[in-house]
Amino acid sequence: MRCLCVATCGRRKIWDVDPNAPRFVEARSAYIGPLSKLTIKYAQKFHPNDYVILSAKYGFLLPHEKIENYDAYCNRNPLIKISELKRQIHEKRTYSGLLLSEYDKVIVLGGRCYCNWVKKVFGEDKVECPITGLAIGKMMKKISDAIKSGVPLVSCP
């Protein structure tokens, strides 16, 4: 079974703390909010070649893709449309070389809005959202515990 992990973007970005940051920064380094950083860390640990970051502006981002600062949120003024996300899964390949659409299971590390987006794109039956519905502190604890224990939130044989 091939699993894709979807880390999620966040409001806080590198430009919020470093006015001298370059205009374009790799996605994996741009998001500096605590939850975003944890979801990316989790993805790097358990799915190093099979993850993307879901952005409310850019859609599915490979970790090395460069982005610039923006102000958009999944549940408020998103700049990406579901139709664009559906197009991206047939065009983007992870480091494993697979198209996003070729994965058997998609694990979303984010809230309800992100989980719903991914379900609309990949289909309900392919998507698991192990932290959706939890308060942010509980989301972070669950992810941190998984990283520390080395046991993923969702098994992907």
Side-chain angles (χ1 to χ4, degrees), residues 3 5 10 13-15 17 20 24 29 36 38 46 63 67 72 89:
C3 293
C5 186
K13 298 172 193 72
I14 189 71
W15 300 277
V17 297
N20 297 316
F24 293 94
S29 302
S36 295
L38 260 181
F46 293 109
I67 65 167
I89 70 168

Side-chain angles (χ1 to χ4, degrees), residues 32-46:
I32 61 165
L35 181 59
S36 295
K37 283 174 69 172
L38 260 181
T39 66
I40 293 167
K41 184 175 179 181
Y42 176 96
Q44 290 171 332
K45 177 174 180 72
F46 293 109

